[in-house]
Amino acid sequence: MKTIHRVVSRTRILLIAALSCLPFLVNAQSTDQDYRTPPLDIADIVDADPTPSVSVSPDKNWMLLMGRSGLPTIAELSQAELRIAGMRINPANNGTSRASYFNRLQLQDLSNSGTRTISGLPANPRIGSVSWSPDGEHIAFVLDRDSHIELWIADTATAEARKLVDAELNGIFGQAFSWFSDSERLLVKTVQGNRTEAPVKPQVPLGPIIQESSGRPAAARTYQDLMGDSHDENLFEYYGSSQLLIVSVDGSSEAVGEPDLIRQASIAPDQNYILVEAMHRPFSYLVPNYRFPRRIEVWNTQGDVVKLIADLPLAEEVPIGRGAVPIGPRSVAWRTDTDATVYWVEARDGGDPRADVEIRDVVLSLSAPFTAEPTQLIALGTRFNGARWGNSGLALISENWWSNRRTRTWMIAPDESGVAAQLLFDRSAEDRYSDPGTPLQAQNEFGKYSLLLSEDGESIYLTGQGASPEGDKPFLDRLNLDSKSSERLWQSEAPNYSSFISFLDDGHDSLLIRRESPTEPGNYFRLDNGMSGQLTALTSFPHPYPQLANVYKEVVRYQRDDGVMLTATLYLPPGATPEDGPFPMLMWAYPREYKDADSAGQMQGSPYRFNAISVNGPLPFLASGYAIFDGPTMPIIGEGEVEPNDVFVEQLVSSAAAAVDEVVRRGVAERDRIAVGGHSYGAFMTANLLAHSDLFIAGIARSGAYNRTLTPFGFQAEERTYWEAPDIYYQMSPFMHADMISEPILMIHGEADNNSGTFPLQSERFYNALKGHGAKTRLVMLPNESHGYRARESVMHTLWEMNSWMNRYVKGE
């Protein structure tokens, strides 16, 4: 009787409350399209002050603290934007749109921890592209001034900043300046002087838009923001054209060469040459700008062309598949360890990963005065993946191959002919446990980054995540290049999670580390004399959301029905313990493909990391009383000749079932109160789980793709085209199974999504299909938002939508 009375009473109260609020509800319908704000506990997380970023000076005397403001407003995000050539351009300042900025700079003395705020900046500055001079005496950066971008410089001795040059910078291709080795000059890309007004789109079309195929395959993935007509071509030339300047730290400047459509320009270590990449017509309506025709040239500092490295054609006809590359020189750059030597890579398989050849790539180099024939440094059996230069007798060249996930690193002697390459590492890129780490680099006498060698020159240093069955434990090793044996110099230890940042002395005895714990945000420490030495705190950043400081966290290991080990991180609401369960739960995941089951089952993450909360992730809902099962691994494994996606649905459902079984077994969740969600490929996952299982009570899918026939030339890790594997494309598409989804699904999508494949149309069509079959669904299109959501109003509204959806269908409120 008590139970019945309680139900009747609650029903009566709800009915009276509903009747009394009818006028409000009617009025609310008229404002249903307005931005909404989630409960205060969640909103406070959005508005928490971000932790500053840091950067250490090359001389190790200073640490720069770079403060960040909160999220931009929707008004800022709604400013004019050009979407052409695969880019998003701010026409007001000739830079990239949607850029992120710092709003304050502070210098910290690493010898005594004293701090000084950099003065001379305007109120509410928007600071970007921060870069130390090689000698550490100056810091260059840009200021966004609404109508243009300015180059500024700060003196570390005085902590004073000033504008360096009146010329306006051209920032549409990224950082618009770089330092010369002497720390006295910078190479700067500026807007072409005295240019006319931007081209105006004709009201009357000049003619039809025509594209024609040559008859050769020219397959392309579903790129966004491409050119659409001749007006776009004119705009691209207008905003992309730059004049190079050499600017001294005293503010004087001189022009270098003629204005051109310069995508990149870099200075040789000896400061006598400039490597320039300039695009030219014909442009393409099929591929982004980085595949446009371009000349790669070596100039002297007067702007004269010394050497044409290549004049590359339009790259529309690149083969299909991971590892496909254009023909001709690519990855063209300066060697960082010597005066003036250019290196590049050329494919020997036509750029086609399906070609059956012994040699796929060769690495070539050419030294000043650039009159000789290029020298071949190494031939690679798979695809080039990077170079790290040390000296005339040492460079590390890496290669990898996607289809078998193999990666190799070779030691070569770049200036010593006849010395055979030595294999240093040969491993599976999926095997986190065997990762030897990444070679450390440091600025050399040219101010360029090259391999950091031990004092005797016989060893290099490696740093890595230190993945293990107990979790990630970052490390620092010294590797002897003769014996190939490693010595562990430092490693993170429980109950903290620490990561190596930099050496602070020439003898490599003092370390800068970043240390955190589940309840303490990352702060920076000086560690002297190795692991047992003195630890000195350098920063004391506060907890950004102290109301969530006492959140329970546990890294959970469990098993799928085929024996594969899975990992997730369990979070419980503030103050709660597992004994207080069960809780309403949100699982938030993202599937990944593997070729090896053992690697797929390796432990990921660490129980000692700070409980950092991304406003675009699932953790804000801890404040609403939800348990979060974050990142439950969803491995899709295809060993041998089997492709992972051949068993996508079966393995996805099996992984999800194992996760549900585990949280129910632990007593932290109930089967009928678990929602599943994800972003991008995680949204695709969510829709598939609702279509092919009854594991979840509701779903949240953000910025996803649901019909794979709209991405017919491959997607995610799928290399086959639709015409090669139509059944796979059909079975993996939730759109094709919309009639099988009965659980409520909330879909959110940025209406300006620029991610390849996740067109907003994907969510719109899927919503129509679901609605047509009577599913409970809601579609939210966020104005002016891209693949990730940035505006404060958009983020707040997204959290409100998700919280309301889960309260309705998970809690049953």
Side-chain angles (χ1 to χ4, degrees):
M1 286 298 294
K2 287 182 179 180
T3 303
I4 296 174
H5 175 72
R6 236 185 258 117
V7 172
V8 172
S9 298
R10 186 169 185 269
T11 303
R12 184 182 299 118
I13 292 169
L14 291 174
L15 179 60
I16 294 171
L19 291 172
S20 65
C21 291
L22 273 178
F24 169 77
L25 292 174
V26 171
N27 291 333
Q29 290 179 358
S30 64
T31 61
D32 190 50
Q33 302 299 316
D34 295 343
Y35 287 107
R36 307 295 289 271
T37 302
L40 185 60
D41 286 347
I42 295 178
D44 284 346
I45 297 171
V46 177
D47 289 331
D49 288 335
T51 300
S53 299
V54 306
S55 175
V56 178
S57 64
D59 58 11
K60 314 303 183 193
N61 291 328
W62 301 97
M63 185 162 66
L64 183 67
L65 308 181
M66 298 171 284
R68 296 175 292 158
S69 58
L71 297 174
T73 66
I74 191 63
E76 294 176 77
L77 213 65
S78 301
Q79 294 174 354
E81 180 180 65
L82 297 176
R83 302 171 185 172
I84 51 176
M87 305 176 67
R88 294 196 168 177
I89 300 169
N90 182 347
N93 68 3
N94 219 107
T96 58
S97 63
R98 305 169 185 267
S100 297
Y101 299 104
F102 301 111
N103 62 359
R104 59 191 180 278
L105 301 176
Q106 191 175 44
L107 280 169
Q108 180 166 342
D109 191 326
L110 288 175
S111 62
N112 59 25
S113 296
T115 59
R116 292 179 297 167
T117 299
I118 290 180
S119 61
L121 295 169
N124 303 313
R126 294 194 295 272
I127 303 165
S129 301
V130 179
S131 176
W132 289 96
S133 62
D135 63 8
E137 294 184 4
H138 293 95
I139 304 164
F141 53 92
V142 302
L143 278 187
D144 178 359
R145 305 286 269 179
D146 290 331
S147 63
H148 61 281
I149 301 173
E150 296 176 348
L151 179 61
W152 281 58
I153 192 170
D155 190 318
T156 56
T158 63
E160 294 178 353
R162 57 187 167 88
K163 187 171 77 167
L164 189 58
V165 67
D166 287 332
E168 300 173 4
L169 273 60
N170 189 333
I172 73 167
F173 296 118
Q175 183 155 315
F177 68 88
S178 56
W179 284 98
F180 276 74
S181 302
D182 59 14
S183 297
E184 296 293 328
R185 296 172 293 166
L186 301 98
L187 182 66
V188 184
K189 286 192 294 183
T190 65
V191 171
Q192 184 177 344
N194 301 317
R195 66 180 181 181
T196 59
E197 293 296 318
V200 177
K201 188 176 183 68
Q203 289 189 345
V204 178
L206 301 177
I209 299 169
I210 300 171
Q211 299 184 68
E212 182 177 356
S213 172
S214 65
R216 296 186 297 272
R221 293 205 176 205
T222 47
Y223 299 112
Q224 310 265 45
D225 301 335
L226 300 178
M227 285 186 173
D229 54 29
S230 60
H231 178 62
D232 284 348
E233 298 187 50
N234 295 334
L235 286 173
F236 181 66
E237 284 186 321
Y238 178 84
Y239 288 103
S241 294
S242 297
Q243 171 68 61
L244 290 182
L245 296 184
I246 295 177
V247 179
S248 298
V249 293
D250 63 8
S252 60
S253 64
E254 58 179 321
V256 180
E258 298 297 323
D260 207 340
L261 196 55
I262 297 173
R263 190 167 184 267
Q264 297 182 72
S266 60
I267 311 141
D270 71 357
Q271 308 182 106
N272 293 323
Y273 302 96
I274 304 172
L275 184 63
V276 178
E277 177 185 320
M279 293 174 287
H280 60 81
R281 291 174 184 262
F283 301 141
S284 171
Y285 298 178
L286 184 65
V287 294
N289 71 87
Y290 56 80
R291 288 199 182 180
F292 289 179
R294 61 193 190 279
R295 297 184 313 278
I296 303 175
E297 301 169 332
V298 177
W299 295 4
N300 60 27
T301 52
Q302 289 73 48
D304 303 318
V305 177
V306 175
K307 175 68 177 181
L308 174 66
I309 301 295
D311 191 349
L312 300 172
L314 177 64
E316 280 189 345
E317 299 169 0
V318 176
I320 286 291
R322 294 288 188 99
V325 295
I327 59 173
R330 69 182 199 277
S331 302
V332 186
W334 295 110
R335 268 180 56 180
T336 58
D337 63 319
T338 190
D339 292 341
T341 297
V342 178
Y343 77 95
W344 65 88
V345 184
E346 293 184 12
R348 290 292 185 259
D349 58 0
D352 188 354
R354 304 185 187 193
D356 186 11
V357 297
E358 183 177 348
I359 301 300
R360 294 201 177 272
D361 275 350
V362 294
V363 182
L364 306 169
S365 72
L366 182 63
S367 300
F370 312 106
T371 55
E373 290 297 313
T375 300
Q376 179 173 306
L377 300 180
I378 190 172
L380 301 172
T382 57
R383 201 62 82 206
F384 172 81
N385 192 44
R388 287 181 170 85
W389 305 96
N391 51 43
S392 61
L394 176 65
L396 301 182
I397 306 294
S398 297
E399 61 174 322
N400 66 8
W401 197 241
W402 170 254
S403 62
N404 61 9
R405 310 301 197 270
R406 208 73 201 163
T407 179
R408 296 184 179 90
T409 300
W410 299 87
M411 292 193 301
I412 65 169
D415 295 334
E416 299 175 15
S417 59
V419 177
Q422 297 183 54
L423 184 62
L424 184 62
F425 303 128
D426 184 359
R427 51 181 291 272
S428 167
E430 293 180 338
D431 184 1
R432 301 178 74 246
Y433 292 176
S434 71
D435 186 354
T438 301
L440 287 181
Q441 299 187 104
Q443 284 190 308
N444 56 26
E445 67 271 23
F446 300 113
K448 308 295 184 182
Y449 281 90
S450 61
L451 285 170
L452 179 61
L453 300 174
S454 59
E455 290 184 295
D456 59 13
E458 296 180 355
S459 301
I460 61 173
Y461 296 89
L462 303 168
T463 183
Q465 286 296 314
S468 74
E470 294 77 41
D472 292 347
K473 297 186 289 186
F475 66 87
L476 172 68
D477 281 358
R478 180 167 51 216
L479 173 68
N480 185 279
L481 296 174
D482 288 330
S483 66
K484 311 296 189 303
S485 60
S486 291
E487 175 190 1
R488 182 126 308 170
L489 304 179
W490 170 88
Q491 188 161 23
S492 177
E493 295 181 321
N496 298 300
Y497 178 92
S498 301
S499 49
F500 171 83
I501 304 299
S502 173
F503 286 114
L504 292 178
D505 66 330
D506 293 337
H508 306 154
D509 291 322
S510 295
L511 283 59
L512 178 67
I513 64 170
R514 182 180 184 274
R515 192 179 73 174
E516 61 188 270
S517 74
T519 58
E520 299 173 344
N523 273 289
Y524 293 83
F525 294 79
R526 182 186 185 105
L527 178 62
D528 293 305
N529 301 318
M531 292 186 67
S532 60
Q534 180 181 357
L535 193 66
T536 304
L538 299 174
T539 63
S540 56
F541 302 136
H543 199 298
Y545 14 81
Q547 70 275 25
L548 296 180
N550 62 337
V551 164
Y552 176 90
K553 173 183 179 179
E554 180 183 356
V555 175
V556 177
R557 294 281 280 165
Y558 54 102
Q559 197 172 50
R560 201 164 71 177
D561 59 8
D562 60 359
V564 174
M565 293 301 299
L566 306 177
T567 308
T569 304
L570 173 66
Y571 297 88
L572 300 181
T577 66
E579 291 72 27
D580 299 322
F583 306 91
M585 174 172 280
L586 171 62
M587 287 190 181
W588 195 260
Y590 192 98
R592 297 190 183 278
E593 301 81 358
Y594 291 86
K595 292 297 292 181
D596 175 63
D598 289 338
S599 296
Q602 290 180 349
M603 170 75 166
Q604 299 188 31
S606 166
Y608 304 115
R609 299 217 66 169
F610 176 60
N611 296 336
I613 297 181
S614 167
V615 296
N616 284 313
L619 297 190
F621 303 104
L622 290 167
S624 284
Y626 287 91
I628 307 296
F629 210 51
D630 190 27
T633 48
M634 302 278 179
I636 311 300
I637 305 165
E639 295 187 296
E641 297 300 317
V642 177
E643 290 294 330
N645 283 341
D646 291 348
V647 287
F648 178 85
V649 171
E650 297 90 332
Q651 292 197 21
L652 185 69
V653 172
S654 178
S655 296
V660 170
D661 289 345
E662 180 64 18
V663 295
V664 171
R665 182 189 68 79
R666 287 170 169 264
V668 294
E670 297 173 296
R671 292 188 184 275
D672 60 351
R673 290 206 304 165
I674 304 175
V676 64
H679 188 91
S680 193
Y681 210 54
F684 175 75
M685 169 208 74
T686 297
N688 265 304
L689 285 173
L690 296 187
H692 299 291
S693 77
D694 295 314
L695 294 167
F696 302 99
I697 195 68
I700 299 172
R702 297 190 334 208
S703 298
Y706 309 100
N707 183 349
R708 284 306 170 193
T709 68
L710 299 179
T711 56
F713 288 103
F715 59 90
Q716 202 70 7
E718 179 55 65
E719 299 184 88
R720 296 166 293 186
T721 70
Y722 167 75
W723 298 274
E724 293 172 310
D727 290 344
I728 298 300
Y729 278 68
Y730 181 90
Q731 290 298 329
M732 289 183 66
S733 295
F735 179 87
M736 309 303 180
H737 310 287
D739 59 329
M740 298 168 60
I741 295 178
S742 57
E743 298 85 359
I745 179 170
L746 168 66
M747 290 188 291
I748 303 173
H749 211 125
E751 68 171 14
D753 194 333
N754 67 339
N755 183 57
S756 178
T758 54
F759 295 108
L761 178 68
Q762 290 269 8
S763 288
E764 294 166 351
R765 294 293 91 196
F766 191 40
Y767 170 78
N768 287 349
L770 291 168
K771 186 175 182 179
H773 285 91
K776 294 178 180 178
T777 183
R778 180 177 173 93
L779 173 62
V780 180
M781 302 299 293
L782 299 173
N784 298 319
E785 290 291 352
S786 186
H787 193 58
Y789 317 143
R790 294 196 59 223
R792 180 180 182 275
E793 293 87 342
S794 301
V795 171
M796 289 284 197
H797 188 87
T798 296
L799 293 172
W800 179 84
E801 291 281 359
M802 295 172 66
N803 194 62
S804 300
W805 195 257
M806 290 191 295
N807 286 348
R808 187 192 311 179
Y809 292 110
V810 181
K811 289 184 178 179
E813 295 179 355

